[in-house]
Amino acid sequence: MPSSADYRPTRRVDGTPRVAVTRRLLPETEARMAELFDVSLNAEDRAMSRDQLVAAMQSAHVLVPTVTDRIDAAMIAEAGPQLGLIANFGAGTEHIDLAAARARKIIVTNTPGVFTDDTADMTIALIISVARRLNYGGRTLRAGKWEGWAPSTMLGHRLAGKTLGIIGMGRIGQAVAHRARAFGLNVLYNSRHRLPEALETMFGANFEPDLDRLVAEADILTLHCPATPETHHMIDARRIGLMKPHAYIVNTARGQLIEEEALIAALVDGRIGGAGLDVFEHEPQVDARLLAHHNVAILPHMGSATFEGRIASGDKVIANIRFWADGHRPPDQVLEGLV
């Protein structure tokens, strides 16, 4: 009868795996990669062209892309036979054609959980900023237009007692709900799966299965969903029309969740109170009307931009590559049944 020794995994790569990294990572991560792998780094930190990405996929055993690198089916079809792993730097994988990778038996990994607190912190920061009009106050001061304190100017809304509607109650949504309790916010949430009662009690959160009703009830609406065909423009003109006229919308997830033109129209017409945005539908292009609006708190996709989070993400990428190269299942494999 065969022993367990007969089932030892076979190393996938003879020698040192060739790894192509598409963007500049933190020095600690790049130094560790240089020690472990035959690594090609992007020293200039410029987004790689489609042809450059394909060339990397034709020569490397492992591609390490980021959310700015779209890896579609045609590109995967051109990958060399040696490409066995796409080790994404970041949790989201909507920029990678997962079905095409599955067909080529290319394993895809990501780095889940490392940016949860960072993104939740930024969500709360944007909620405070838009509700208390911090963006407007800062602009007024910098433009030299502030004439001193007055009881009827710079007015925003307090958070305590308001209803926060959370769409998507995964790791980040739960972290936002946890923080929201400290500000006295009442939490409603909508998600594909209802949380256990114990978690609802801990977060002080109530489940609302009807998304339209959640949108209509919320004083502040915050989005924490992946970008998928099902969630594309989930907040469209119709749903924006359901929002209270003083309500705010905050997005630190993906720009494609909101129909941006409809949002801008509602802001310009004064049909909602404001928005806090860290992501945009057509980024890095940002509509000038959003930039100019007096109550849009706006940031350049920096919700995950902490030293701690980026180092932790790099550590996960390295671990996934080492597990894969040694013939083991990577700990953060996205696709099933490929090992």
Side-chain angles (χ1 to χ4, degrees), residues 262-281:
L263 172 64
I264 291 169
L267 289 165
V268 171
D269 294 343
R271 288 183 279 114
I272 61 171
L277 305 173
D278 186 43
V279 292
F280 309 92
E281 186 171 1

Side-chain angles (χ1 to χ4, degrees), residues 169 177 181 185-189 198-206:
M169 203 61 155
R181 292 203 71 176
L185 285 159
N186 303 311
V187 176
L188 287 179
Y189 76 95
L199 283 179
E200 289 186 340
T201 301
M202 183 175 74
F203 296 135
N206 293 301

Side-chain angles (χ1 to χ4, degrees), residues 4-324:
S4 60
D6 296 316
Y7 298 103
R8 289 175 183 167
T10 302
R11 183 171 173 82
R12 297 181 192 273
V13 178
D14 292 328
T16 305
R18 295 190 302 276
V19 177
V21 182
T22 67
R23 296 300 298 267
R24 188 72 186 266
L25 304 180
L26 290 190
E28 298 92 327
T29 301
E30 292 188 342
R32 186 61 176 152
M33 284 185 165
E35 291 175 357
L36 296 170
F37 314 126
D38 178 6
V39 64
S40 173
L41 300 170
N42 187 344
E44 294 183 350
D45 199 27
R46 293 179 181 172
M48 295 174 70
S49 68
R50 182 185 182 90
D51 288 344
Q52 288 172 322
L53 288 168
V54 170
M57 295 165 69
Q58 288 175 342
S59 62
H61 296 104
V62 180
L63 182 73
V64 180
T66 70
V67 69
T68 61
D69 303 304
R70 183 152 298 280
I71 312 296
D72 61 32
M75 297 168 69
I76 290 173
E78 293 187 61
Q82 82 296 326
L83 183 72
L85 176 65
I86 298 176
N88 188 60
F89 183 93
T93 56
E94 65 274 8
H95 55 293
I96 302 169
D97 191 315
L98 299 179
R102 182 191 298 270
R104 283 288 304 270
K105 298 193 181 300
I106 296 171
I107 293 175
V108 177
T109 60
N110 64 345
T111 62
V114 297
F115 299 128
T116 296
D117 287 331
D118 305 328
T119 307
D121 289 346
M122 191 63 80
T123 300
I124 295 296
L126 284 172
I127 289 171
I128 297 170
S129 183
V130 69
R132 295 299 305 274
R133 305 187 73 193
L134 302 188
N135 188 54
Y136 175 68
R139 284 186 181 184
T140 301
L141 193 63
R142 289 186 174 90
K145 296 180 179 179
W146 186 52
E147 298 178 351
W149 184 89
S152 60
T153 62
M154 303 290 176
L155 300 182
H157 288 281
R158 71 169 53 143
L159 298 183
K162 300 297 188 298
T163 296
L164 176 65
I166 299 176
I167 302 178
M169 203 61 155
R171 291 187 184 94
I172 296 173
Q174 291 178 41
V176 170
H178 176 68
R179 287 156 172 75
R181 292 203 71 176
F183 291 92
L185 285 159
N186 303 311
V187 176
L188 287 179
Y189 76 95
N190 176 277
S191 199
R192 286 181 299 172
H193 306 290
R194 183 169 183 173
L195 296 178
E197 184 178 351
L199 283 179
E200 289 186 340
T201 301
M202 183 175 74
F203 296 135
N206 293 301
F207 180 63
E208 175 50 73
D210 188 318
L211 182 56
D212 285 356
R213 187 157 40 226
L214 178 88
V215 170
E217 288 286 329
D219 299 299
I220 305 159
L221 190 66
T222 181
L223 311 181
H224 302 286
C225 307
T228 67
E230 293 73 30
T231 62
H232 183 78
H233 284 183
M234 67 186 307
I235 304 301
D236 56 8
R238 184 187 68 80
R239 284 205 168 110
I240 290 172
L242 299 175
M243 295 176 67
K244 298 175 181 178
H246 65 266
Y248 307 114
I249 186 165
V250 172
N251 189 8
T252 57
R254 290 291 184 263
Q256 294 81 6
L257 302 181
I258 299 176
E259 184 183 352
E260 197 165 277
E261 191 61 38
L263 172 64
I264 291 169
L267 289 165
V268 171
D269 294 343
R271 288 183 279 114
I272 61 171
L277 305 173
D278 186 43
V279 292
F280 309 92
E281 186 171 1
H282 306 292
E283 61 180 70
Q285 286 75 40
V286 180
D287 195 290
R289 292 168 293 177
L290 290 174
L291 294 170
H293 195 275
H294 66 90
N295 205 27
V296 174
I298 204 161
L299 295 171
H301 202 152
M302 54 188 290
S304 65
T306 67
F307 289 104
E308 296 86 353
R310 297 284 166 84
I311 289 172
S313 188
D315 290 344
K316 277 184 171 284
V317 168
I318 291 170
N320 285 321
I321 296 172
R322 296 187 74 181
F323 270 76
W324 172 81

